[in-house]
């Protein structure tokens, strides 16, 4: 990080006690290149030396414990890969076995019988005998007896062999910290913030995060560290936004013209919800401002994003610009193409569809018409952003369910328009918890469709097991009798694709037995099918030619068949929360009561049960997204992995929402007063930002 000219910028091998061999290992194994990196590789745990348990107590609790005692016996058993070290460890209350399956020989040499050791680990009850496998272990010398919390550092097999286990690393860090002077760790936050939030200085923070004297000190130091990480990220994102607004001009869509007005007054099949109206106002303001719009439109499944997208594209057309609407799958893109074509029928608007499966002459014609400016709206898959697609005047780029697109793909959109970048609208039905939205999309403006069209009833959701299957089938029969349609979804993941497809096939055949032709029609759709076959199957379902659609998750996003009222999800425990919510969103689109039945096995893991509970209890995408964040952690949330926004050392987006909010607020305050960070009191902050956050700015600019 930010170290200036000091010992900290020197190569790691120059550190006393490291040298070339260990230096090389630290580089390779832990990415520690410079001496200063030692400081930023934070302890992942602390041992409270004052909290020593006894073997007797440890046997009654299965929590990890710290024990003080000595080894009374040790022996190596087995040979080759089966070789293991078994030692007997005792304190004044009892004894237990300690086992090592790796590096048995090294450890055997290292352990001295009769000497005092501290060990940390979790007791296991192995057929009535207690043992600990691979505990953390440390010789108890004068030096290790301290009153404070002792840091534990990560290590690796190779490092341990070279004496750089946690203890070895601790020694080096301690040595380094003793040498440090305040100017080695220059302050990066302005004084008013530090005093207002009662932070330690940056220097003290680092010292205390490695060697805290108490839990309070540790918390205080970690809080500053968390704040720093979140604050500079916010500052970076907000600054990128301010800069973009200053420098990137946008096309002005000033006109609300004939096309839009005709559509609004004559074609719109319903009145807009208040939320849709509000969002349209927000978007129109952006597109009329002379700046480039960069807006995220969040709206739960069924909230009516498509019509918003269409109206934006009509505005573009009124102002002489073309638009592109990109969807993650061919099925979804085609559906958009069809429904939008129907909606604008009779208007003087030319729409084209493009995907990878459109080739040869048809493709050439589409491209030609786009380039000549005859086509107003292009709808398609990511084929629409390929470099050979040229526009006469691209003014608006919309991505639907954008979490399926990488940042690079969105960046590609920018290159399509030579004068200014097109306005960008990013639509997603995966509600993003606010903390994540602020972090991943912190430089986008956000609009929310927080209202469903009138008349929608919440989908009733229940979990069922194999024992209920015949009842579930009876229910399906009764719904079909009422003229409704049914989805049956099977999981499909790459790792077990063959097995999954077999499951789907079995399920299909079983259904054929229960719902025989010709009274019933059942179709199958899965990702291995040709696009055209998929499309036909989908269309057949839409046209009510089939009552049951058996499918993998290809229908997950966007598919709209309001007459479908039952969603059965097989092996529901294998799906993530966001996916379950998306799938369920395929029903409940019409006026009829809809149902979602989650078929699971009888035995479920704790997290699976928690997920299913959430989905049964709530229909609210934001509630589900928050739960998802808590259950899975931020790294897995859709589309956020590649953003690089989560490489925090101390901060945690689940736990540190309050700190994030404060950081965001303070960053906003500062930038309102001093947008370019030119004020003298902001100089160190600005310098820190430009040196430490440079690489991150590159991705933020294009998101
Ligand atoms: P999503 O936000 O999930 O993409 P869609 O745009 O597919 O939702 O809309 C879902 C359904 O709701 C569509 O059938 C659409 O025609 C309908 N719809 C959208 N807006 C309204 C509205 N204001 N009133 C009634 N129905 C609407
Ligand atoms: Mg949609």
């Amino acid at each position: 990080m930010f170290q200036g000219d000091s010992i900290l910028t020197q190569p790691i091998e120059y550190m006393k006690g490291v040298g070339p061999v260990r230096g090389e290992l630290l580089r390779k194994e832990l990415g520690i290149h410079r001496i200063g990196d030692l400081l930023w590789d934070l302890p992942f745990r602390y041992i409270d030396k004052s909290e020593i348990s006894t073997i007797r107590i440890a046997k009654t609790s299965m929590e990890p414990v710290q024990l003080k005692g000595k080894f009374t016996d040790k022996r190596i058993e087995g040979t080759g890969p089966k070789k293991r070290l078994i030692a007997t460890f005792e304190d004044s209350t009892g004894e237990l076995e300690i086992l090592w399956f790796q590096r048995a020989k090294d450890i055997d040499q290292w352990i001295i019988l009769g000497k005092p050791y501290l060990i940390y680990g979790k007791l296991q009850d192995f057929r009535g005998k207690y043992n600990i496998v691979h505990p953390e272990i440390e010789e108890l010398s004068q030096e290790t007896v301290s009153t404070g919390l002792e840091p534990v550092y990560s290590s690796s097999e190779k490092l341990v062999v070279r004496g750089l286990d946690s203890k070895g690393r601790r020694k080096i860090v301690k040595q380094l910290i003793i040498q440090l002077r305040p100017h080695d760790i220059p302050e990066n936050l302005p004084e008013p913030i530090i005093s207002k939030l009662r932070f330690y200085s940056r220097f003290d923070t680092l010292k205390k995060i490695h060697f805290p004297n108490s839990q309070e000190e540790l918390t205080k130091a970690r809080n500053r560290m968390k704040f720093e990480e979140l604050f500079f990220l916010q500052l970076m994102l907000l600054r990128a936004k301010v800069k973009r607004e200053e420098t990137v001009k946008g096309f002005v869509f000033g006109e609300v013209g004939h096309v839009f007005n005709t559509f609004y007054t004559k074609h719109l099949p319903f009145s807009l919800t208040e939320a849709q109206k509000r969002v349209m106002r927000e978007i129109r303001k952006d597109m009329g401002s002379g700046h480039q719009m960069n807006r995220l439109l969040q709206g739960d499944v069924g909230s009516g994003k498509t019509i918003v997208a269409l109206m934006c594209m009509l505005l573009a057309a009124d102002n002489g610009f073309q638009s592109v609407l990109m969807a993650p799958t061919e099925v979804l893109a085609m559906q958009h193409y069809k429904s939008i074509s129907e909606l604008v029928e009779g208007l003087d608007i030319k729409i084209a569809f493009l995907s990878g499966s459109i080739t040869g002459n048809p493709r050439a014609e589409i491209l030609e018409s786009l380039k000549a400016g005859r086509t107003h709206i292009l709808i398609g898959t990511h084929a629409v952003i390929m470099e050979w697609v040229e526009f006469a005047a691209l003014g608006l780029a919309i991505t639907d369910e954008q979490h399926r697109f990488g940042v690079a793909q969105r960046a590609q959109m920018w290159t399509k328009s030579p004068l200014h970048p097109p306005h960008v609208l990013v639509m997603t039905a995966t509600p993003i918890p606010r903390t994540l939205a602020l972090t991943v999309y912190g430089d986008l403006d956000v609009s929310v469709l927080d209202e469903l069209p009138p008349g929608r009833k919440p989908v009733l959701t229940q979990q069922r097991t194999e024992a209920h299957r015949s009842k579930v089938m009876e229910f399906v029969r009764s719904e079909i009798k009422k003229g409704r349609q049914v989805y049956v979804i099977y999981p499909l993941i790459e790792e077990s694709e063959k097995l999954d497809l077999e499951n789907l096939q079995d399920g299909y055949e079983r259904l054929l037995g229960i719902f025989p032709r010709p009274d019933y029609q059942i179709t199958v759709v899965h990702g291995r099918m040709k696009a055209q076959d998929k499309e036909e199957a989908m269309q057949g379902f839409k046209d009510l030619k089939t009552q049951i659609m058996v499918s993998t998750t290809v229908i997950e996003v966007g598919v709209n068949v309001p007459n479908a009222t039952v969603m059965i999800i097989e092996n529901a425990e294998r799906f993530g929360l966001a996916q379950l919510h998306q799938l369920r969103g395929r029903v409940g689109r019409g006026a009829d009561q809809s149902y979602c039945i989650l078929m699971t096995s009888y035995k479920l893991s704790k997290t699976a049960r928690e997920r299913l509970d959430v989905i049964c209890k709530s229909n609210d995408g934001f509630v589900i997204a928050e739960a998802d964040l808590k259950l899975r952690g931020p790294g897995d949330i859709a589309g956020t992995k590649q953003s690089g926004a989560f490489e925090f050392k101390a901060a945690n987006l689940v736990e540190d929402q309050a700190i994030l909010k404060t950081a965001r607020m303070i960053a906003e305050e500062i930038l309102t007063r001093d947008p370019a960070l030119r004020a003298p009191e902001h100089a160190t902050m600005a310098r820190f930002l430009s040196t430490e956050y440079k690489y991150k700015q590159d991705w933020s600019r294009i998101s």
Side-chain angles (χ1 to χ4, degrees):
M1 281 203 177
F2 186 58
Q3 281 125 20
D5 285 330
S6 83
I7 173 177
L8 298 177
T9 55
Q10 313 249 332
I12 183 67
E13 54 266 33
Y14 292 1
M15 179 72 206
K16 192 164 168 263
V18 175
V21 177
R22 295 163 128 204
E24 193 54 30
L25 269 180
L26 282 169
R27 275 178 218 278
K28 276 202 186 127
E29 301 279 301
L30 296 175
I32 292 175
H33 294 267
R34 297 182 301 175
I35 291 178
D37 294 340
L38 282 172
L39 295 178
W40 305 107
D41 198 63
L42 304 183
F44 67 89
R45 190 170 76 74
Y46 298 82
I47 300 175
D48 187 344
K49 291 274 147 152
S50 59
E51 281 215 359
I52 292 173
S53 184
T54 62
I55 292 177
R56 191 170 58 217
I57 292 171
K59 282 179 180 172
T60 62
S61 97
M62 288 288 143
E63 296 297 301
V65 285
Q66 185 162 237
L67 299 168
K68 189 168 131 186
K70 56 181 196 270
F71 290 97
T72 54
D73 181 39
K74 57 175 181 165
R75 61 187 187 277
I76 286 197
E77 283 185 5
T79 51
K82 288 212 167 141
K83 187 186 282 179
R84 59 197 181 275
L85 174 65
I86 304 174
T88 310
F89 185 79
E90 66 160 45
D91 67 5
S92 57
T93 67
E95 62 173 38
L96 46 77
E97 267 187 356
I98 312 282
L99 290 128
W100 287 271
F101 298 101
Q102 268 135 37
R103 299 192 300 116
K105 235 175 94 190
D106 290 334
I107 293 163
D108 184 32
Q109 282 172 5
W110 182 71
I111 285 177
I112 298 166
L113 298 183
K115 271 192 108 178
Y117 287 89
L118 264 187
I119 63 172
Y120 178 89
K122 207 169 141 182
L123 253 71
Q124 294 176 339
D125 182 352
F126 182 71
R127 295 182 191 150
K129 267 176 108 180
Y130 289 92
N131 67 37
I132 298 181
V133 178
H134 285 227
E136 285 169 27
I137 170 164
E138 188 169 315
E139 233 182 282
L140 203 57
S141 61
Q142 210 48 39
E143 180 229 351
T144 46
V145 183
S146 70
T147 48
L149 298 167
E150 219 166 66
V152 181
Y153 297 92
S154 54
S155 189
S156 73
E157 288 289 314
K158 285 183 183 153
L159 285 167
V160 170
V161 174
R162 293 283 169 186
L164 287 176
D165 56 357
S166 174
K167 188 184 169 195
R169 287 195 55 193
R170 184 155 71 230
K171 255 189 181 156
I172 292 176
V173 174
K174 183 141 218 170
Q175 226 178 55
L176 175 59
I177 282 186
I178 292 169
Q179 290 175 50
L180 286 185
R181 299 293 163 261
H183 69 259
D184 289 315
I185 311 287
E187 194 46 71
N188 59 5
L189 292 175
E191 171 50 34
I193 295 183
I194 295 175
S195 53
K196 189 171 158 200
L197 298 176
R198 294 170 203 268
F199 283 147
Y200 291 131
S201 70
R202 192 154 185 260
F203 177 63
D204 283 343
T205 298
L206 258 189
K207 281 203 302 196
K208 289 179 193 297
I209 219 159
H210 286 279
F211 298 103
N213 288 312
S214 66
Q215 192 61 50
E216 290 73 50
E217 275 194 13
L218 176 61
T219 308
K220 211 172 144 181
R222 283 188 64 85
N223 276 348
R224 159 153 184 167
M225 198 76 132
K226 288 164 181 223
F227 177 85
E228 242 182 60
E229 288 185 298
L230 296 168
F231 173 74
F232 281 103
L233 182 64
Q234 290 305 317
L235 205 58
M236 174 195 87
L237 291 167
L238 287 167
R239 251 198 99 201
K241 189 172 155 204
V242 171
K243 257 195 194 155
R244 193 178 56 218
E245 282 165 2
E246 272 171 8
T247 55
V248 181
K249 295 274 170 283
F251 300 116
V252 180
F253 293 0
E255 292 276 310
V256 179
H258 178 70
V259 177
F260 184 92
N261 280 328
T262 315
F263 176 79
Y264 195 80
T265 51
K266 303 224 170 81
H267 289 234
L268 195 59
F270 36 67
S271 41
L272 296 180
T273 63
E274 286 310 310
Q276 284 169 323
K277 286 184 199 161
R278 186 188 64 230
V279 166
M280 276 312 295
R281 280 197 297 274
E282 287 165 359
I283 291 174
R284 277 184 49 196
K285 199 167 156 213
D286 280 4
M287 295 196 306
S289 71
H291 299 303
Q292 183 220 10
M293 171 170 79
N294 270 280
R295 194 168 273 281
L296 173 70
L297 174 56
Q298 287 197 66
D300 213 340
V301 279
S303 60
K305 294 183 291 294
T306 315
I307 209 86
V308 170
L310 173 58
M311 290 191 295
C312 294
M313 296 194 288
L314 296 180
L315 271 176
D318 268 339
N319 288 274
F321 288 98
Q322 295 167 297
S323 306
V324 58
L325 172 59
M326 177 162 75
T329 64
E330 178 138 12
V331 169
L332 186 53
M334 188 37 108
Q335 179 182 290
H336 279 323
Y337 174 72
K338 287 198 169 142
S339 62
I340 286 176
S341 298
E342 273 169 36
L343 283 164
V344 302
E345 216 177 293
L347 288 175
D348 185 20
I349 287 287
K350 188 168 155 51
I351 304 185
F353 176 80
L354 186 64
S355 77
S357 55
I358 295 192
T359 53
N361 267 344
R363 168 177 289 191
E365 269 167 40
I366 290 166
L367 295 180
E368 171 55 34
S369 166
L370 264 182
K371 203 173 163 183
R374 288 192 301 275
T375 294
H376 303 101
I377 294 176
L378 178 66
I379 298 175
T381 60
H382 61 271
V384 301
I385 56 166
M386 295 294 155
E387 68 264 28
W388 32 262
V389 181
E390 290 175 69
F391 293 83
L394 179 64
L396 172 64
I398 303 179
T399 60
D400 193 17
E401 309 297 350
Q402 81 68 237
H403 55 279
R404 294 297 182 90
F405 288 104
V407 169
Q409 283 168 306
R410 273 182 276 151
Q412 184 76 17
M413 292 265 200
W414 284 50
T415 66
K416 299 275 170 213
S417 175
L419 184 56
H420 305 316
H423 294 298
V424 172
L425 183 66
V426 164
M427 305 200 295
T428 175
T430 307
I432 305 163
R434 191 167 155 70
T435 47
L436 280 193
L438 283 182
T439 315
V440 186
Y441 302 108
D443 68 329
L444 300 188
D445 294 303
V446 179
S447 288
V448 183
L449 282 177
D450 49 5
E451 182 188 357
L452 294 181
R456 298 276 167 82
K457 299 192 183 81
V459 179
L460 290 175
T461 306
Q462 282 183 333
Q463 185 213 334
R464 290 286 179 263
T465 63
E466 213 44 50
H468 306 107
R469 188 171 289 279
S470 55
K471 277 215 168 131
V472 170
M473 289 301 125
E474 278 319 300
F475 177 68
V476 165
R477 195 185 301 279
S478 69
E479 281 293 299
I480 292 177
K481 216 172 185 173
K482 288 191 216 158
R484 309 282 171 262
Q485 289 165 286
V486 179
Y487 293 105
V488 182
I489 307 295
Y490 282 84
L492 184 129
I493 54 168
E494 258 169 65
E495 296 87 75
S496 59
E497 180 168 337
K498 197 160 161 276
L499 212 70
D500 283 344
L501 283 174
E502 272 171 32
N503 262 343
L504 174 110
Q505 193 61 30
D506 289 350
Y508 171 56
E509 276 159 25
R510 187 170 51 190
L511 281 167
L512 280 176
I514 304 172
F515 300 103
R517 288 182 178 129
D519 293 351
Y520 300 92
Q521 297 295 330
I522 309 179
T523 43
V524 181
V525 177
H526 58 77
R528 291 276 111 164
M529 284 163 63
K530 277 200 211 116
Q532 202 189 337
D533 296 342
K534 259 192 282 190
E535 179 51 36
E536 258 168 41
M538 293 293 312
Q539 198 55 45
F541 190 67
K542 265 193 133 163
D543 298 342
L544 234 168
K545 287 190 190 121
T546 55
Q547 295 95 1
I548 302 178
M549 168 132 92
V550 181
S551 158
T552 58
T553 47
V554 288
I555 65 146
E556 179 187 338
V557 273
V559 176
N560 189 26
V561 180
N563 190 50
T565 55
V566 183
M567 162 69 54
I568 297 177
I569 304 177
E570 299 284 349
N571 297 120
E573 69 270 30
R574 286 179 55 193
F575 291 89
L577 263 180
Q579 237 183 343
L580 288 173
H581 181 62
Q582 277 285 335
L583 285 168
R584 178 171 59 182
R586 298 310 108 214
V587 293
R589 308 197 133 229
D592 306 294
Q593 179 63 55
S594 289
Y595 307 87
C596 176
I597 301 165
L598 308 168
M599 299 298 293
T600 70
S601 55
Y602 189 70
K603 262 196 158 174
L604 292 172
S605 71
K606 186 166 165 280
T607 53
R609 186 161 296 288
E610 281 171 340
R611 277 203 302 277
L612 296 167
D613 271 356
V614 170
I615 209 87
C616 288
K617 285 201 187 108
S618 179
N619 268 288
D620 182 332
F622 281 93
V623 171
I624 291 165
E626 290 285 350
D628 203 20
L629 179 62
K630 291 211 172 83
L631 286 172
R632 285 200 304 170
D636 284 333
I637 300 289
T640 54
K641 227 173 216 162
Q642 79 271 36
S643 71
F646 300 106
E647 287 150 22
F648 298 123
K649 293 187 187 305
N652 174 319
L653 290 180
V654 179
E655 290 162 12
D656 302 327
Q657 308 206 1
I659 299 180
L660 174 61
K661 273 179 203 150
T662 311
R664 173 83 174 187
M665 203 180 71
I666 293 179
E668 271 168 359
E669 263 170 34
I670 288 176
L671 286 175
T672 316
R673 274 184 287 128
D674 182 15
L677 298 180
R678 291 226 179 80
E681 69 267 28
H682 294 154
T684 46
M685 199 169 63
R687 193 152 72 94
F688 184 81
L689 192 67
S690 63
T691 53
E692 299 306 320
Y693 281 75
K694 202 167 181 323
Y695 76 99
K696 286 188 176 171
Q697 296 193 358
D698 294 332
W699 66 256
S700 85
R701 204 178 316 131
I702 51 175
S703 61

